[in-house]
Amino acid sequence: MTPQERERLQKLSSTNVSDALDHFHLKGAVHGVLPTWQGCRKICGEAVTMRMIAAGEVPPKYHLGQAAIAAAKEGDVIVVDNAGRPDISCWGGVLATGASMKGVSGVVIDGFCRDIDDFVDLGFSVYSRGPVVQSARGRAIEDATNVTVQFGSVQVNPGDVVIADRSGVAFIPKAHFADVLEKAYQLYEKEEAMCADLKAGMNNMEVDAKYSYNTMLK
């Protein structure tokens, strides 16, 4: 993703991206993953993935998250596949501190996390399915880093583009990024024009007739 593409994406919402994905019949929008704290910033970047599995006979090589942070570049988003598991945290304050110091944009988790106050103090954006206090020690390990993962019902690959805001999270397959970004930006500009007309006094029916909202994705 070029700096210009990142700047353009930053103007968009996850809903703009979701609509553009629909236009191309691509899966990428997920539900139930939201900001962990009020004021959590919108994030976008290329995915560094990590896959969690249950702890067992095979011991972990390192504490979860360390390899993902090491692999991440400035501006990347760490994507954690913990299969939505609700009983343990797979991200916390120490990891958030390390990722923040590395310049990671933020983290999105198909699962739960803890140490929310640390995220607030750092100003570090984490999106998850909710908070939980119990750690992953002895319960789950990081199985692999920068591999294909499943996030909700969406396949996510390293380098796919992530956008997350207060509406939710969406993933753009890297092979389709340019097309999806262009379509999402067109939708953004059209909706901005609609809102401008409404604020200028045009009524809803007139605006709907002018822009044909129901056919915007065609």
Side-chain angles (χ1 to χ4, degrees), residues 44-56:
C44 61
E46 296 176 18
V48 173
T49 64
M50 55 180 275
R51 184 175 65 212
M52 303 289 296
I53 61 171

Side-chain angles (χ1 to χ4, degrees), residues 2 5 14 19 22 80 91 93 97 100 134 169 173 182 202 204:
T2 67
E5 288 171 332
S14 61
D19 288 349
D22 281 346
V80 184
W91 194 269
T97 301
S100 178
Q134 187 165 245
V169 179
E182 179 61 32
M202 191 179 292
N204 285 61

Side-chain angles (χ1 to χ4, degrees), residues 21 24 26 160-161 172-182:
L21 290 166
F24 292 107
L26 296 169
D160 286 350
V161 174
I172 308 172
K174 56 187 173 183
H176 301 280
F177 174 62
D179 290 338
V180 172
L181 178 62
E182 179 61 32

Side-chain angles (χ1 to χ4, degrees), residues 32-43 91-93 96-97 100 104-109 111-132 164-169:
V33 178
L34 296 170
T36 55
W37 53 280
Q38 189 173 3
C40 190
R41 298 188 323 278
K42 175 168 67 178
I43 57 174
W91 194 269
T97 301
S100 178
V104 170
S105 288
V107 178
V108 295
I109 305 168
F112 286 63
C113 61
R114 66 180 192 171
D115 300 330
I116 311 298
D117 288 339
D118 291 350
F119 308 160
V120 176
D121 291 342
L122 289 164
F124 187 72
S125 295
V126 178
Y127 292 73
S128 78
R129 296 197 181 274
V132 65
D165 57 23
R166 283 181 286 190
S167 291
V169 179

